[in-house]
Amino acid sequence: MAMSSKQIVELNVNGIPHQLLVEPRKTLADVLRDDLGLTGTKLGCEHGVCGACTVLVDGRAIRACLMFAVQAQGSEITTVEGLASDGELDHVQKAFAENHGLQCGYCTPGMLMTAHAFLAENPEPTREQICEGMNGNLCRCTGYQNIIKSTAAAAAAAKAAK
């Protein structure tokens, strides 16, 4: 009898615990999309360059295409689907919508997740810090100006809410 090459991995995704049987070589992005149906996590370059697959793993922005699902064992994972609460967009999502920080929307989930992690570490960033903090995510549509404006607006909204 052949031994199964799959492993059990336990992930807490958007506050919901999951126990999955996965191949050790399967990426976190593929597990999120294929096994859990969370297709907001986009696959772009699959080399960690574009940032479309960015999710939060234990609060840190991680390229889900570069992480094996088994490496996320026991982690708290947040995808773009986990940002809204009770049907209400969170402050970063609202800022991107209100400031036209998206166009085609393909890069948007990764941008939102990167902005969340960035603003958690830099709650009152300068424009230059935003440019540097968001520079790992590629967008072919927006020209970046409204992404920078949206991230600044999200920071201001979070500050005003305190």
Side-chain angles (χ1 to χ4, degrees), residues 1 15 22 27 31 49 59 75 81 85 87 97 106 142 153 155:
M1 180 180 278
V22 300
T27 66
V31 166
V49 176
S75 294
E81 291 92 346
S85 179
Y106 200 84
T142 65

Side-chain angles (χ1 to χ4, degrees), residues 59-137:
R60 294 182 51 227
I62 299 293
R63 303 291 203 243
C65 76
L66 295 180
M67 181 178 222
F68 293 116
V70 295
Q71 291 176 290
Q73 168 66 34
S75 294
E76 296 283 334
I77 299 164
T78 305
T79 68
V80 70
E81 291 92 346
L83 296 181
S85 179
D86 295 324
E88 287 290 318
L89 299 179
D90 80 345
H91 69 289
V92 177
Q93 290 172 308
K94 285 179 185 174
F96 270 68
E98 292 167 0
N99 293 281
H100 310 287
L102 52 96
Q103 283 185 18
C104 84
Y106 200 84
C107 71
T108 303
M111 291 284 184
L112 292 169
M113 304 315 290
T114 298
H116 265 277
F118 170 73
L119 292 173
E121 291 185 20
N122 304 283
E124 296 183 41
T126 64
R127 185 180 196 291
E128 291 74 28
Q129 289 170 326
I130 293 170
C131 290
E132 186 175 320
M134 299 298 291
N135 77 358
N137 290 66

